[in-house]
Amino acid sequence: MAHSRARRNPAAGRAPVRRAASGFAVLLLLLGLLGFVPGITSSYAELRFAGPGSGARLLGVFQVSALHNVVHVVLGTVGLALARTVAGARAFLLGAGAVYLVLWLHGLAVDRRSEANVLAVNRADTWLHLLLGVVMLALGLVAGRRGRRR
């Protein structure tokens, strides 16, 4: 039963593109921070700053390095700041989506054992980057065209 003193939903009245950008920003921030948590990141002792020598795996699946984690934290923080406006949220989704598609192409092109694999990505990372890139670009294009609310 609804209560007259119930808290107002902080997302109520916000444009869909702002909600989408905020959601992705929080997801990226969490992924980056969790990459530094032993137990959630397996083989944590093998975490390196950068390069293919990092043997740490987020959730036991996604290869990470400290640099890889920092990139996610920075993108998430930027996303939260930009999600305050419709134009900023759309710019974040389109820009970060494009970044993830470039990372996907990089993951396909680079030999994972070479020093060119500076972020320390594996096959699972590569396909996650494709998924993130496509979804973020699509949301930036579709949600940004709908209502221009706050």
Side-chain angles (χ1 to χ4, degrees), residues 32-103:
L33 293 174
L34 290 174
F36 290 112
V37 178
I40 294 175
T41 299
S42 62
S43 303
Y44 187 78
E46 296 177 35
L47 182 70
R48 302 292 177 263
F49 176 73
S54 185
R57 301 276 188 276
L58 179 62
L59 305 173
V61 176
F62 303 101
Q63 184 178 9
V64 293
S65 65
L67 181 60
H68 194 155
N69 292 335
V70 168
V71 167
H72 285 296
V73 169
V74 168
L75 281 173
T77 303
V78 167
L80 285 176
L82 289 175
R84 294 178 180 182
T85 66
V86 169
R90 187 166 190 257
F92 168 67
L93 289 171
L94 294 173
V99 166
Y100 279 110
L101 288 181
V102 168
L103 288 174

Coordinates of all heavy atoms in Angstrom, one line a residue, residues 32-103:
G32 N 35.5 -1.2 -12.4 CA 36.8 -0.7 -12.1 C 37.2 -0.9 -10.7 O 38.3 -1.4 -10.4
L33 N 36.4 -0.6 -9.8 CA 36.7 -0.7 -8.3 C 36.8 -2.2 -7.9 O 37.7 -2.6 -7.2 CB 35.7 0.0 -7.5 CG 35.7 1.5 -7.6 CD1 34.5 2.1 -6.8 CD2 37.0 2.1 -7.2
L34 N 35.9 -3.0 -8.5 CA 35.9 -4.5 -8.1 C 37.2 -5.1 -8.6 O 37.6 -6.1 -8.1 CB 34.7 -5.2 -8.6 CG 33.4 -4.8 -7.9 CD1 32.2 -5.5 -8.6 CD2 33.4 -5.2 -6.5
G35 N 37.8 -4.6 -9.7 CA 39.0 -5.1 -10.2 C 40.2 -5.0 -9.2 O 41.2 -5.7 -9.4
F36 N 40.0 -4.2 -8.2 CA 41.0 -4.1 -7.2 C 40.7 -4.8 -5.9 O 41.4 -4.7 -4.9 CB 41.2 -2.6 -6.8 CG 41.8 -1.8 -7.9 CD1 41.1 -0.8 -8.6 CD2 43.2 -2.0 -8.2 CE1 41.7 0.0 -9.6 CE2 43.8 -1.2 -9.2 CZ 43.0 -0.2 -9.9
V37 N 39.6 -5.6 -5.9 CA 39.2 -6.4 -4.7 C 39.6 -7.8 -4.8 O 39.1 -8.6 -5.7 CB 37.7 -6.2 -4.5 CG1 37.2 -7.0 -3.3 CG2 37.3 -4.8 -4.4
P38 N 40.5 -8.2 -3.9 CA 40.9 -9.7 -3.9 C 39.7 -10.5 -3.6 O 38.9 -10.2 -2.8 CB 42.0 -9.7 -2.8 CG 42.4 -8.3 -2.6 CD 41.3 -7.5 -2.9
G39 N 39.6 -11.7 -4.2 CA 38.5 -12.5 -4.0 C 37.5 -12.4 -5.2 O 37.1 -13.3 -5.8
I40 N 37.1 -11.1 -5.5 CA 36.2 -10.9 -6.6 C 37.1 -10.9 -7.9 O 36.7 -11.3 -8.9 CB 35.5 -9.5 -6.5 CG1 34.6 -9.6 -5.3 CG2 34.8 -9.1 -7.7 CD1 33.9 -8.3 -4.9
T41 N 38.4 -10.5 -7.7 CA 39.4 -10.6 -8.7 C 40.3 -11.8 -8.4 O 41.0 -11.7 -7.4 CB 40.2 -9.3 -8.9 OG1 39.3 -8.3 -9.2 CG2 41.2 -9.4 -9.9
S42 N 40.2 -12.8 -9.2 CA 41.0 -14.0 -8.9 C 42.4 -13.8 -9.3 O 42.7 -12.9 -10.1 CB 40.4 -15.2 -9.6 OG 40.4 -15.1 -11.0
S43 N 43.3 -14.5 -8.8 CA 44.8 -14.4 -9.0 C 45.2 -12.9 -8.8 O 46.0 -12.4 -9.6 CB 45.1 -14.8 -10.4 OG 44.7 -16.2 -10.7
Y44 N 44.7 -12.3 -7.7 CA 44.9 -10.9 -7.5 C 46.4 -10.6 -7.3 O 46.9 -9.6 -7.7 CB 44.2 -10.5 -6.2 CG 44.3 -9.0 -6.0 CD1 43.5 -8.1 -6.7 CD2 45.2 -8.5 -5.0 CE1 43.5 -6.8 -6.5 CE2 45.3 -7.1 -4.8 CZ 44.4 -6.3 -5.6 OH 44.5 -4.9 -5.4
A45 N 47.2 -11.6 -6.8 CA 48.6 -11.4 -6.6 C 49.3 -11.2 -8.0 O 50.4 -10.6 -8.0 CB 49.3 -12.6 -5.9
E46 N 48.7 -11.6 -9.1 CA 49.3 -11.4 -10.4 C 48.8 -10.1 -11.1 O 49.1 -9.9 -12.3 CB 48.9 -12.6 -11.3 CG 49.4 -13.9 -10.7 CD 49.0 -15.1 -11.6 OE1 48.8 -15.0 -12.8 OE2 48.8 -16.2 -11.0
L47 N 48.1 -9.3 -10.4 CA 47.7 -8.0 -10.9 C 48.9 -7.1 -11.2 O 49.8 -6.9 -10.3 CB 46.8 -7.3 -10.0 CG 46.2 -5.9 -10.5 CD1 45.2 -6.1 -11.6 CD2 45.5 -5.2 -9.3
R48 N 49.1 -6.7 -12.4 CA 50.2 -5.8 -12.8 C 49.6 -4.4 -13.2 O 48.4 -4.3 -13.5 CB 51.0 -6.4 -14.0 CG 51.6 -7.7 -13.7 CD 52.7 -7.7 -12.6 NE 53.2 -9.0 -12.4 CZ 52.8 -9.8 -11.3 NH1 51.9 -9.3 -10.5 NH2 53.3 -11.0 -11.1
F49 N 50.5 -3.4 -13.3 CA 50.0 -2.1 -13.7 C 49.4 -2.1 -15.1 O 48.4 -1.6 -15.3 CB 51.1 -1.0 -13.6 CG 50.6 0.3 -14.1 CD1 49.8 1.1 -13.3 CD2 51.0 0.7 -15.3 CE1 49.3 2.3 -13.8 CE2 50.5 2.0 -15.8 CZ 49.7 2.7 -15.0
A50 N 50.1 -2.8 -16.0 CA 49.7 -2.8 -17.4 C 50.3 -4.0 -18.1 O 51.3 -4.6 -17.6 CB 50.0 -1.5 -18.1
G51 N 49.9 -4.3 -19.3 CA 50.5 -5.3 -20.1 C 50.0 -6.7 -20.0 O 49.2 -7.0 -19.1
P52 N 50.4 -7.6 -20.9 CA 49.8 -8.9 -20.9 C 50.2 -9.8 -19.7 O 49.7 -10.8 -19.5 CB 50.4 -9.5 -22.2 CG 51.7 -8.7 -22.4 CD 51.4 -7.3 -21.9
G53 N 51.2 -9.4 -19.0 CA 51.7 -10.2 -17.8 C 50.8 -10.2 -16.7 O 51.0 -10.9 -15.7
S54 N 49.7 -9.3 -16.7 CA 48.8 -9.3 -15.6 C 47.9 -10.6 -15.7 O 47.2 -10.8 -16.6 CB 47.9 -8.0 -15.6 OG 47.1 -8.0 -14.5
G55 N 48.0 -11.4 -14.6 CA 47.2 -12.6 -14.6 C 45.9 -12.5 -13.8 O 45.2 -13.5 -13.7
A56 N 45.6 -11.3 -13.3 CA 44.4 -11.2 -12.5 C 43.1 -11.3 -13.4 O 43.2 -10.8 -14.6 CB 44.4 -9.8 -11.8
R57 N 42.1 -11.8 -12.9 CA 40.8 -12.0 -13.6 C 39.6 -11.5 -12.8 O 39.4 -12.1 -11.7 CB 40.6 -13.5 -13.9 CG 41.7 -14.1 -14.8 CD 41.4 -13.8 -16.3 NE 42.3 -14.6 -17.1 CZ 43.5 -14.2 -17.4 NH1 44.1 -13.2 -16.9 NH2 44.3 -14.9 -18.3
L58 N 38.9 -10.5 -13.2 CA 37.7 -10.0 -12.6 C 36.6 -11.1 -12.7 O 36.4 -11.6 -13.9 CB 37.2 -8.7 -13.2 CG 36.0 -8.1 -12.6 CD1 36.1 -7.8 -11.1 CD2 35.6 -6.9 -13.4
L59 N 36.1 -11.5 -11.6 CA 35.1 -12.6 -11.6 C 35.6 -13.9 -12.2 O 34.8 -14.8 -12.6 CB 33.8 -12.2 -12.3 CG 33.1 -10.9 -11.9 CD1 32.0 -10.5 -12.8 CD2 32.7 -11.0 -10.4
G60 N 36.9 -14.0 -12.2 CA 37.5 -15.2 -12.7 C 37.5 -15.4 -14.2 O 37.9 -16.4 -14.8
V61 N 37.0 -14.3 -14.9 CA 36.8 -14.4 -16.4 C 37.6 -13.3 -17.1 O 38.2 -13.6 -18.1 CB 35.3 -14.3 -16.7 CG1 35.0 -14.3 -18.2 CG2 34.5 -15.4 -16.0
F62 N 37.4 -12.1 -16.7 CA 37.9 -10.9 -17.5 C 39.3 -10.5 -17.0 O 39.5 -10.1 -15.8 CB 36.9 -9.7 -17.3 CG 35.5 -10.1 -17.8 CD1 34.6 -10.3 -16.8 CD2 35.2 -10.1 -19.1 CE1 33.3 -10.6 -17.2 CE2 33.9 -10.4 -19.5 CZ 32.9 -10.7 -18.6
Q63 N 40.3 -10.6 -17.9 CA 41.6 -10.2 -17.5 C 41.7 -8.7 -17.2 O 41.1 -7.9 -18.0 CB 42.6 -10.6 -18.7 CG 44.1 -10.3 -18.3 CD 45.0 -10.6 -19.4 OE1 44.6 -11.0 -20.5 NE2 46.3 -10.6 -19.2
V64 N 42.3 -8.4 -16.1 CA 42.4 -7.0 -15.8 C 43.8 -6.6 -15.4 O 44.6 -7.5 -15.0 CB 41.5 -6.6 -14.6 CG1 40.0 -6.6 -15.1 CG2 41.7 -7.4 -13.4
S65 N 44.2 -5.3 -15.5 CA 45.4 -4.8 -15.0 C 45.0 -3.5 -14.2 O 43.8 -3.1 -14.3 CB 46.3 -4.4 -16.1 OG 45.8 -3.3 -16.9
A66 N 45.9 -3.0 -13.4 CA 45.6 -1.7 -12.7 C 45.1 -0.6 -13.7 O 44.2 0.1 -13.5 CB 46.7 -1.3 -11.9
L67 N 45.8 -0.5 -14.8 CA 45.5 0.5 -15.8 C 44.1 0.2 -16.4 O 43.3 1.2 -16.5 CB 46.5 0.5 -17.0 CG 46.3 1.5 -18.1 CD1 46.3 2.9 -17.5 CD2 47.3 1.3 -19.2
H68 N 43.7 -1.0 -16.7 CA 42.4 -1.4 -17.2 C 41.3 -1.0 -16.2 O 40.3 -0.4 -16.5 CB 42.4 -2.9 -17.4 CG 41.3 -3.4 -18.2 ND1 41.3 -4.6 -18.9 CD2 40.0 -3.0 -18.4 CE1 40.2 -4.8 -19.5 NE2 39.4 -3.9 -19.2
N69 N 41.6 -1.2 -14.9 CA 40.6 -0.9 -13.8 C 40.5 0.7 -13.7 O 39.4 1.2 -13.6 CB 41.1 -1.4 -12.5 CG 41.0 -2.9 -12.4 OD1 40.2 -3.5 -13.1 ND2 41.8 -3.5 -11.6
V70 N 41.6 1.4 -13.8 CA 41.6 2.8 -13.7 C 40.8 3.4 -14.9 O 40.0 4.4 -14.7 CB 43.0 3.4 -13.7 CG1 43.0 4.9 -13.9 CG2 43.6 3.0 -12.3
V71 N 40.9 2.8 -16.1 CA 40.2 3.3 -17.3 C 38.7 3.2 -17.0 O 37.9 4.2 -17.2 CB 40.6 2.6 -18.5 CG1 39.6 2.8 -19.7 CG2 42.0 2.9 -19.0
H72 N 38.2 2.1 -16.4 CA 36.8 1.9 -16.1 C 36.4 2.9 -15.0 O 35.3 3.5 -15.1 CB 36.5 0.5 -15.6 CG 36.5 -0.5 -16.7 ND1 35.6 -0.5 -17.7 CD2 37.3 -1.6 -16.9 CE1 35.8 -1.5 -18.5 NE2 36.8 -2.2 -18.1
V73 N 37.2 3.2 -14.0 CA 36.9 4.1 -12.9 C 36.7 5.5 -13.5 O 35.8 6.3 -13.2 CB 37.9 4.1 -11.8 CG1 37.7 5.2 -10.8 CG2 37.8 2.7 -11.0
V74 N 37.7 5.9 -14.4 CA 37.7 7.3 -15.0 C 36.4 7.4 -15.8 O 35.7 8.4 -15.8 CB 39.0 7.5 -15.7 CG1 38.9 8.8 -16.6 CG2 40.1 7.7 -14.8
L75 N 36.2 6.4 -16.7 CA 35.0 6.5 -17.6 C 33.7 6.6 -16.7 O 32.8 7.4 -17.1 CB 34.9 5.4 -18.5 CG 35.8 5.5 -19.8 CD1 35.8 4.2 -20.6 CD2 35.4 6.6 -20.6
G76 N 33.6 5.8 -15.7 CA 32.4 5.9 -14.8 C 32.3 7.2 -14.1 O 31.2 7.7 -14.0
T77 N 33.4 7.8 -13.7 CA 33.3 9.1 -13.0 C 32.9 10.2 -14.0 O 32.0 11.0 -13.7 CB 34.7 9.4 -12.4 OG1 35.0 8.3 -11.4 CG2 34.7 10.7 -11.6
V78 N 33.5 10.1 -15.1 CA 33.1 11.1 -16.2 C 31.6 10.9 -16.5 O 30.9 11.9 -16.7 CB 34.0 11.0 -17.4 CG1 33.5 11.7 -18.6 CG2 35.4 11.4 -17.1
G79 N 31.2 9.7 -16.7 CA 29.8 9.4 -17.0 C 28.8 10.0 -16.0 O 27.8 10.6 -16.3
L80 N 29.2 9.8 -14.7 CA 28.3 10.4 -13.6 C 28.2 11.9 -13.7 O 27.2 12.5 -13.5 CB 28.8 10.0 -12.2 CG 28.5 8.5 -11.9 CD1 29.1 8.2 -10.5 CD2 27.0 8.3 -11.8
A81 N 29.4 12.6 -14.0 CA 29.4 14.0 -14.1 C 28.6 14.5 -15.4 O 27.8 15.4 -15.3 CB 30.8 14.5 -14.2
L82 N 28.7 13.8 -16.5 CA 28.0 14.1 -17.7 C 26.5 13.8 -17.7 O 25.7 14.5 -18.4 CB 28.7 13.5 -18.9 CG 30.1 14.0 -19.3 CD1 30.7 13.2 -20.4 CD2 29.9 15.5 -19.7
A83 N 26.1 12.8 -16.9 CA 24.7 12.4 -16.8 C 23.8 13.5 -16.2 O 22.6 13.3 -16.1 CB 24.6 11.1 -16.1
R84 N 24.4 14.6 -15.7 CA 23.6 15.6 -15.1 C 22.7 16.4 -16.1 O 21.7 17.0 -15.7 CB 24.5 16.6 -14.4 CG 25.2 16.0 -13.2 CD 26.1 16.9 -12.5 NE 26.8 16.3 -11.4 CZ 27.6 16.9 -10.6 NH1 27.8 18.2 -10.8 NH2 28.1 16.3 -9.6
T85 N 23.1 16.3 -17.4 CA 22.3 17.0 -18.4 C 22.0 16.0 -19.5 O 22.7 15.0 -19.7 CB 23.0 18.2 -19.0 OG1 24.2 17.7 -19.7 CG2 23.4 19.2 -17.9
V86 N 20.9 16.3 -20.3 CA 20.6 15.4 -21.4 C 21.7 15.4 -22.4 O 22.1 14.4 -22.9 CB 19.3 15.9 -22.1 CG1 19.0 15.2 -23.4 CG2 18.1 15.6 -21.1
A87 N 22.3 16.6 -22.8 CA 23.3 16.7 -23.8 C 24.6 15.9 -23.3 O 25.2 15.2 -24.0 CB 23.6 18.1 -24.1
G88 N 24.9 16.1 -22.0 CA 26.1 15.4 -21.4 C 25.9 13.9 -21.4 O 26.8 13.2 -21.7
A89 N 24.7 13.5 -21.0 CA 24.4 12.0 -21.0 C 24.6 11.4 -22.4 O 25.2 10.4 -22.5 CB 23.1 11.8 -20.4
R90 N 24.0 12.1 -23.3 CA 24.1 11.6 -24.7 C 25.5 11.6 -25.2 O 26.0 10.6 -25.8 CB 23.2 12.5 -25.6 CG 23.1 11.9 -27.0 CD 22.0 12.6 -27.8 NE 21.8 11.9 -29.0 CZ 22.2 12.3 -30.2 NH1 22.8 13.5 -30.3 NH2 21.9 11.6 -31.3
A91 N 26.3 12.6 -24.9 CA 27.7 12.7 -25.3 C 28.5 11.5 -24.6 O 29.3 10.9 -25.2 CB 28.3 14.0 -24.9
F92 N 28.2 11.3 -23.3 CA 28.9 10.2 -22.7 C 28.6 8.8 -23.3 O 29.5 8.0 -23.6 CB 28.5 10.1 -21.2 CG 28.9 8.9 -20.5 CD1 30.2 8.6 -20.3 CD2 28.0 7.9 -20.1 CE1 30.6 7.4 -19.6 CE2 28.3 6.8 -19.4 CZ 29.7 6.5 -19.2
L93 N 27.3 8.5 -23.5 CA 26.9 7.3 -24.1 C 27.5 7.1 -25.5 O 28.1 6.0 -25.9 CB 25.4 7.1 -24.2 CG 24.7 6.9 -22.9 CD1 23.2 7.0 -23.0 CD2 25.1 5.6 -22.3
L94 N 27.5 8.1 -26.3 CA 28.1 8.0 -27.7 C 29.6 8.0 -27.6 O 30.2 7.1 -28.3 CB 27.6 9.2 -28.5 CG 26.1 9.3 -28.8 CD1 25.8 10.6 -29.5 CD2 25.7 8.1 -29.7
G95 N 30.2 8.8 -26.8 CA 31.7 8.8 -26.7 C 32.2 7.5 -26.1 O 33.2 6.9 -26.7
A96 N 31.7 7.1 -25.0 CA 32.2 5.9 -24.3 C 31.8 4.7 -25.2 O 32.6 3.7 -25.3 CB 31.6 5.8 -22.9
G97 N 30.7 4.7 -25.9 CA 30.3 3.6 -26.8 C 31.4 3.5 -27.9 O 31.8 2.4 -28.2
A98 N 31.8 4.6 -28.4 CA 32.8 4.6 -29.5 C 34.1 4.1 -28.9 O 34.8 3.3 -29.6 CB 33.0 6.0 -30.1
V99 N 34.5 4.5 -27.7 CA 35.7 4.0 -27.1 C 35.7 2.5 -27.0 O 36.7 1.8 -27.3 CB 36.0 4.7 -25.7 CG1 37.0 4.0 -24.9 CG2 36.3 6.2 -25.9
Y100 N 34.6 2.0 -26.5 CA 34.5 0.5 -26.3 C 34.5 -0.2 -27.7 O 35.1 -1.3 -27.7 CB 33.3 0.1 -25.5 CG 33.6 0.3 -24.0 CD1 32.9 1.3 -23.3 CD2 34.5 -0.5 -23.4 CE1 33.2 1.5 -22.0 CE2 34.8 -0.3 -22.1 CZ 34.2 0.7 -21.3 OH 34.5 0.9 -20.0
L101 N 34.0 0.4 -28.7 CA 34.1 -0.3 -30.0 C 35.6 -0.3 -30.5 O 36.1 -1.2 -31.1 CB 33.2 0.4 -31.0 CG 31.7 0.1 -30.8 CD1 30.9 0.8 -31.9 CD2 31.4 -1.4 -30.8
V102 N 36.3 0.8 -30.2 CA 37.7 0.9 -30.6 C 38.5 -0.2 -29.8 O 39.4 -0.9 -30.3 CB 38.3 2.3 -30.3 CG1 39.8 2.3 -30.4 CG2 37.7 3.2 -31.4
L103 N 38.1 -0.3 -28.5 CA 38.8 -1.4 -27.6 C 38.5 -2.8 -28.2 O 39.3 -3.7 -28.1 CB 38.4 -1.2 -26.2 CG 39.0 0.0 -25.5 CD1 38.4 0.1 -24.1 CD2 40.5 -0.1 -25.4

